[in-house]
Amino acid sequence: MQEVQNYIQANKDRFLEELLELLKIPSVSADPAFKNDVIKTAEFVADSLNKAGVDNVEVCPTAGNPIVYGDKIINPDLPTVLVYGHYDVQPADPIELWESGPFEPVIKKTEIHPDGAIFARGSCDDKGQLYMHVKAIEALLANDALPCNVKFMIEGEEEVGSVNLGIFCKENTEKLSCDVILISDTSIIANDTPSITTALRGLSYVEVEVTGPNRDLHSGVYGGGVANPINVLCDMIASLHDENGHITVEGFYDDVEELSMEERKKMAEAPFNEEAYKKSLGIDAVQGEKGYSTEERVSIRPTLDVNGIWGGYIGEGAKTVLPSKAFAKISMRLVPHQDSDKITELFSNHFNKIAPDSVKVEVKPHHGGAPAVTPTDTPEYQAAHLAMIDTFGKDPIPKREGGSIPIVALFEEVLNAKSVLMGFGLNSDAIHSPNEHFGLFNFYKGIETIPYFYKHYAELKK
Ligand code: BES
Ligand code: MN
Ligand code: MN
């Protein structure tokens, strides 16, 4: 292992330069205008796996964006780790809030990253983190030190729901057969407080449309006598939470897993500074469901949030209009045992029920995803734990996180393998926001830790 670590130290600068090239390609999956760049990115990833010494590298076409596959089978009798990551990124908007171009990576020091951080869309989510895996395997292969089999599956549609990856997995169970899936697409608590993610929330996403009169009306001639769909939509949305921050959709909490007091006490031991949290977000107070801490609200409790709302006149100046329609996008984060399809249906029924007779409503479901929990009493969790001790010099803390990676639940179902969520980002790295960044410390720590994961996993599986 020392040789592997020496190799990483000796090649640090080149690793970074290569990542910067990857970050320059705008692989936005949500916008079809970036289709060619998405394909270029898949080819870049495939090329980098080839150069790292990985075998059987292919860019697999799907009905959507291609999936990059590659493997290194050193001995079929040894355990196999499947590395999953995504090369697609979120749109850069609002672009005017970026201090430098989202696809022109620059390195800047910050208070949290005194050694510097790479500013670019995808630097943390997930190009920077997937590239740690490419460089880790390069270091292992260059030193003839890979202790187990490794497969790579890097997709280009995570940020839009991974629909084609689900199909790909179902059609290629043999090719993808493995003992465990290793994913770096989550965060650690802080650079001096390593953690391993033990749960992800699920998602149910809908779009609603409220229709009032059959056309936009003069708000003086008709206002007061005809329902304004924007006013109605605001009332309806406001009623979706009660005064305690509980979601009012009937049946919403029926399947929610309640954690024991003991588990909650254990969770509360993880370091969290609410004052610093508020300060970093520029807010004077936190808000959420009564009876739960901030840390619990953003991990073990389900939520309902409006992601966008529109309708009526929003151009320059004033226009006195009573609009015909109002719209909103609403997402619900789900916790273990909640079912995405069921929640979408409960929401739809509830939303129709609370609509006044003066409007018509339509609820259109978007993508959903199941929550996931990863056990801590497995060789793979233990391997991640030991690997982090090797490189951070302290025990990582198990932590439930609030984000979603819907494909994790499907992996378990289709590939019959558990996942290890060993991410290296920070929640303050602004993923999905302007000025996303990834610490150089984090990038290198990931590259250094991954080889130890393979080593411990191979030993524990003996
Ligand atoms: N990497 C994130 C998920 C994440 C971030 C998990 C931080 C834990 C900590 C992933 O790329 C993501 O953004 N997922 C989407 C879901 C998808 C269906 C659009 C999400 O959580 O909104
Ligand atoms: Mn991600
Ligand atoms: Mn993301």
Side-chain angles (χ1 to χ4, degrees):
M1 271 300 141
Q2 198 47 54
E3 279 158 29
V4 173
Q5 297 299 329
N6 292 345
Y7 179 94
I8 294 168
Q9 291 314 312
N11 289 279
K12 266 180 131 162
D13 296 341
R14 175 174 58 81
F15 291 176
L16 176 59
E17 276 162 36
E18 290 169 7
L19 172 60
L20 298 186
E21 289 308 308
L22 174 59
L23 291 170
K24 285 180 189 168
I25 324 173
S27 51
V28 179
S29 51
D31 184 348
F34 293 92
K35 188 84 204 167
N36 285 337
D37 291 305
V38 163
I39 291 165
K40 252 170 75 183
T41 311
E43 281 161 2
F44 185 108
V45 172
D47 194 44
S48 66
L49 284 172
N50 261 323
K51 284 182 184 148
V54 172
D55 299 331
N56 303 311
V57 177
E58 40 174 336
V59 176
C60 310
T62 73
N65 298 336
I67 293 162
V68 183
Y69 176 86
D71 59 35
K72 191 81 200 178
I73 308 298
I74 53 166
N75 175 351
D77 296 332
L78 289 173
T80 302
V81 177
L82 174 66
V83 174
Y84 162 78
H86 64 94
Y87 66 78
D88 66 318
V89 302
Q90 283 277 324
D93 320 75
I95 202 130
E96 65 282 4
L97 296 182
W98 283 78
E99 282 168 25
S100 51
F103 302 105
E104 293 154 27
V106 291
I107 291 156
K108 282 191 290 191
K109 291 185 173 37
T110 71
E111 210 176 305
I112 291 177
H113 294 294
D115 300 336
I118 313 154
F119 281 75
R121 171 59 84 231
S123 54
C124 177
D125 185 13
D126 181 44
K127 284 168 162 174
Q129 299 210 59
L130 81 82
Y131 210 65
M132 300 177 323
H133 284 276
V134 180
K135 294 300 102 177
I137 195 95
E138 176 191 317
L140 283 160
L141 293 176
N143 291 282
D144 215 4
L146 184 65
C148 58
N149 303 313
V150 183
K151 296 177 177 177
F152 289 87
M153 178 169 67
I154 314 292
E155 72 152 321
E157 296 187 324
E158 195 276 342
E159 301 290 8
V160 290
S162 302
V163 174
N164 291 301
L165 181 70
I167 298 168
F168 183 81
C169 288
K170 286 177 189 149
E171 285 174 353
N172 292 281
T173 49
E174 193 59 36
K175 180 189 186 116
L176 301 172
S177 70
C178 59
D179 296 281
V180 67
I181 296 141
L182 176 61
I183 305 176
S184 297
D185 192 24
T186 52
S187 51
I188 51 173
I189 294 174
N191 283 356
D192 60 0
T193 315
S195 55
I196 300 170
T197 304
T198 54
L200 295 162
R201 287 194 285 193
L203 191 67
S204 164
Y205 202 116
V206 298
E207 192 166 320
V208 300
E209 182 179 319
V210 178
T211 308
N214 58 7
R215 59 197 157 90
D216 284 8
L217 302 174
H218 189 291
S219 69
V221 176
Y222 291 96
V226 176
N228 178 327
I230 301 182
N231 294 12
V232 171
L233 177 59
C234 289
D235 282 346
M236 289 172 74
I237 287 172
S239 78
L240 295 175
H241 290 94
D242 70 12
E243 67 283 6
N244 293 324
H246 284 286
I247 295 154
T248 57
V249 174
E250 271 153 68
F252 187 84
Y253 291 96
D254 283 359
D255 302 326
V256 166
E257 176 193 52
E258 295 288 342
L259 262 61
S260 67
M261 263 321 189
E262 198 185 322
E263 278 175 282
R264 290 177 66 184
K265 242 168 94 183
K266 189 108 199 75
M267 264 185 82
E269 284 168 19
F272 176 69
N273 180 336
E274 192 144 293
E275 284 313 310
Y277 182 81
K278 288 192 289 189
K279 192 166 166 245
S280 75
L281 299 175
I283 53 173
D284 294 330
V286 294
Q287 193 190 296
E289 188 181 0
K290 200 174 160 193
Y292 294 92
S293 69
T294 297
E295 283 292 79
E296 291 172 336
R297 288 168 178 169
V298 301
S299 61
I300 61 164
R301 298 302 294 168
T303 64
L304 184 153
D305 275 295
V306 179
N307 301 109
I309 182 164
W310 69 100
Y313 183 70
I314 52 165
E316 276 299 314
K319 181 186 179 198
T320 49
V321 62
L322 195 164
S324 167
K325 283 179 186 292
F327 305 84
K329 290 183 195 276
I330 298 174
S331 66
M332 290 157 275
R333 293 281 169 178
L334 313 179
V335 296
H337 309 324
Q338 282 184 296
D339 177 80
S340 169
D341 292 336
K342 182 176 167 190
I343 291 294
T344 301
E345 200 185 319
L346 289 175
F347 177 89
S348 178
N349 292 343
H350 179 82
F351 209 71
N352 276 287
K353 205 177 119 190
I354 62 172
D357 293 341
S358 52
V359 297
K360 292 178 194 68
V361 305
E362 200 186 331
V363 178
K364 287 179 243 170
H366 277 279
H367 55 236
V373 185
T374 61
T376 55
D377 58 353
T378 58
E380 52 267 24
Y381 185 89
Q382 190 59 19
H385 185 93
L386 293 173
M388 280 188 151
I389 294 177
D390 288 337
T391 54
F392 284 88
K394 51 169 100 162
D395 284 25
I397 300 169
K399 189 171 186 288
R400 290 171 176 252
E401 285 208 87
S404 308
I405 310 177
I407 205 72
V408 171
L410 188 133
F411 285 155
E412 193 170 338
E413 202 184 297
V414 176
L415 301 178
N416 196 23
K418 299 267 184 208
S419 296
V420 183
L421 300 164
M422 189 173 71
F424 291 88
L426 295 182
N427 281 345
S428 57
D429 284 345
I431 63 170
H432 294 207
S433 301
N435 306 307
E436 175 178 353
H437 52 280
F438 189 40
L440 293 178
F441 170 90
N442 305 70
F443 177 56
Y444 293 126
K445 199 57 112 184
I447 302 172
E448 290 156 19
T449 308
I450 292 160
Y452 286 111
F453 172 85
Y454 293 133
K455 175 185 146 214
H456 291 299
Y457 186 64
E459 278 168 8
L460 289 165
K461 287 289 275 187
K462 253 185 213 149

